[in-house]
């Protein structure tokens, strides 16, 4: 008998949305799975156990298992969460899992957030715009004020999980909305003294309803972000700055 077998276990039911958009005969349906969950079991471990022991066809994504890669986000009882950071102990005896809305569905709980994130990143040019095509690397590594470095670090913790998009009412209505993740990235580069873009340049990128003026301050993004990014503060700050440019 191994140590796992001695842990107290609770019987839980997971109702999982099953659908394969590549298969014309597939129709979306909820499929129920029962399992015995131990105290420290995460939703990610539970899904793996289901796939190994009950249904090898179940699709879901994961890479890091540690809340770093952002690939295991899904709707858990209607709220976007990371499966690898969600304890079964914190869920009721019966839960419903569905894929993140808005993103292209690959199958079951697996969605293509990467495609959307890449499009957003290219559109907003979410990389450092240094003054020279061949910048002086000593200047790039220049020291910056600790408060600025800390604020940039905070925004750089985004793992592009898509939870903020899945929770946002505007994103559900406007496919071109860049969402809190996009606005957060602009806020990050605007903070960076090494980036030479000015507010006029940022206005070109986000100064309309697909950007900062489409945000209705619903703040679900702030509530669900698994990395607790200061989205509320940064979006409000960006909106004030962009309103001055407009
Ligand atoms: Fe995920 Fe937060 Fe980044 Fe949105 S801002 S993609 S919720 S980590
Ligand atoms: Fe959406 Fe967040 Fe704005 S939820 S509307 S991006 S404050
Ligand atoms: Fe990487 Fe969950 S598996 S964040």
């Amino acid at each position: 008998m191994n140590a796992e077998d001695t842990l107290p276990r609770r019987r839980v039911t997971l109702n999982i949305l099953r659908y394969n958009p590549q298969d014309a005969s597939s129709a979306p349906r909820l499929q129920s799975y029962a399992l015995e969950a131990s105290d420290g079991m995460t939703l990610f471990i539970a899904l793996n156990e289901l796939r190994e022991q009950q249904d090898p066809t179940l699709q879901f994504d994961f890479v890091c298992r540690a809340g770093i890669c952002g690939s295991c986000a899904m709707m858990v009882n209607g709220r976007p969460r990371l499966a690898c950071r969600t304890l079964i102990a914190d869920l009721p005896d019966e839960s419903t899992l569905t894929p993140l809305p808005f993103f292209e569905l690959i199958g079951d709980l697996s969605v293509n957030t990467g495609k959307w994130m890449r499009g957003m990143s290219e559109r907003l040019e979410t990389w450092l715009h240094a003054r020279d095509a061949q910048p002086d690397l000593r200047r790039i590594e220049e020291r910056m004020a600790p408060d600025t470095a800390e604020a940039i670090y905070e925004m750089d913790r985004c793992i592009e999980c898509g939870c903020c998009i899945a929770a946002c009412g505007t994103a559900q209505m406007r496919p071109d909305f860049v969402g809190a993740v996009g606005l957060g990235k602009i806020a990050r580069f605007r903070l960076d003294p090494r980036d030479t873009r000015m507010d006029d340049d940022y206005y070109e990128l986000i100064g309309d309803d697909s950007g900062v003026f489409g945000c209705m301050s619903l703040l679900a993004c702030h509530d669900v972000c698994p990395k607790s990014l200061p989205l509320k503060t940064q979006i409000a700050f960006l909106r004030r700055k962009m309103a001055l440019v407009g």
Side-chain angles (χ1 to χ4, degrees):
M1 182 184 289
N2 66 35
E4 273 279 298
D5 298 330
T6 63
L7 292 172
R9 294 179 83 86
R10 177 171 67 114
R11 191 166 180 79
V12 294
T13 301
L14 297 178
N15 303 314
I16 301 179
L17 190 107
R18 305 299 313 274
Y19 179 47
N20 179 359
Q22 317 302 330
D23 178 356
S25 66
S26 173
R29 70 188 195 286
L30 283 177
Q31 187 165 348
S32 296
Y33 299 88
L35 79 158
E36 301 290 324
S38 59
D39 263 1
M41 183 182 252
T42 61
L43 186 51
F44 158 77
I45 294 172
L47 286 169
N48 266 295
E49 194 172 298
L50 288 184
R51 188 155 65 183
E52 278 166 21
Q53 298 176 7
Q54 298 190 38
D55 190 343
T57 68
L58 191 57
Q59 292 189 72
F60 57 94
D61 296 316
F62 70 92
V63 179
C64 72
R65 313 171 189 193
I68 296 168
C69 72
S71 61
C72 67
M74 59 186 65
M75 302 299 282
V76 181
N77 298 325
R79 182 186 172 96
R81 303 179 73 146
L82 298 180
C84 71
R85 307 306 286 171
T86 301
L87 284 171
I88 293 284
D90 293 335
L91 298 179
D93 290 343
E94 186 162 348
S95 288
T96 299
L97 311 182
T98 54
L100 289 188
F102 185 78
F103 298 102
E104 180 183 306
L105 181 68
I106 294 170
D108 301 336
L109 301 173
S110 172
V111 293
N112 193 345
T113 49
K115 182 177 170 187
W116 188 90
M117 292 292 169
R118 188 168 57 251
M120 175 275 294
S121 179
E122 286 170 0
R123 180 174 149 202
L124 298 184
E125 302 182 11
T126 60
W127 51 87
L128 192 69
H129 286 52
R131 202 174 305 277
D132 307 317
Q134 291 181 311
D136 178 350
L137 291 180
R138 285 167 304 180
R139 185 173 174 277
I140 290 285
E141 295 303 324
E142 219 168 81
R143 287 176 68 87
M144 66 173 71
D147 285 359
T148 305
E150 177 68 25
I152 293 172
Y153 169 74
E154 274 290 291
M155 298 311 289
D156 269 343
R157 292 188 305 109
C158 174
I159 54 173
E160 300 189 355
C161 61
C163 287
C164 56
I165 299 291
C168 174
T170 304
Q172 309 311 312
M173 290 185 292
R174 285 196 64 116
D176 60 348
F177 183 53
V178 300
V181 55
L183 297 175
K185 285 179 186 296
I186 290 294
R188 178 251 178 267
F189 285 103
R190 199 180 164 280
L191 285 166
D192 196 322
R194 299 166 299 180
D195 197 294
T196 56
R197 285 176 287 184
M198 307 299 286
D199 276 350
D200 282 354
D201 303 313
Y202 292 124
Y203 190 85
E204 285 290 311
L205 296 170
I206 57 158
D208 62 11
D209 285 352
S210 69
V212 76
F213 300 122
C215 168
M216 299 184 292
S217 301
L218 300 173
L219 295 182
C221 55
H222 188 90
D223 293 340
V224 303
C225 176
K227 306 307 280 185
S228 302
L229 262 62
L231 297 171
K232 178 179 168 184
T233 316
Q234 290 296 344
I235 292 173
F237 184 72
L238 210 49
R239 190 189 291 112
R240 281 200 300 278
K241 290 294 174 190
M242 292 300 110
L244 290 176
V245 178

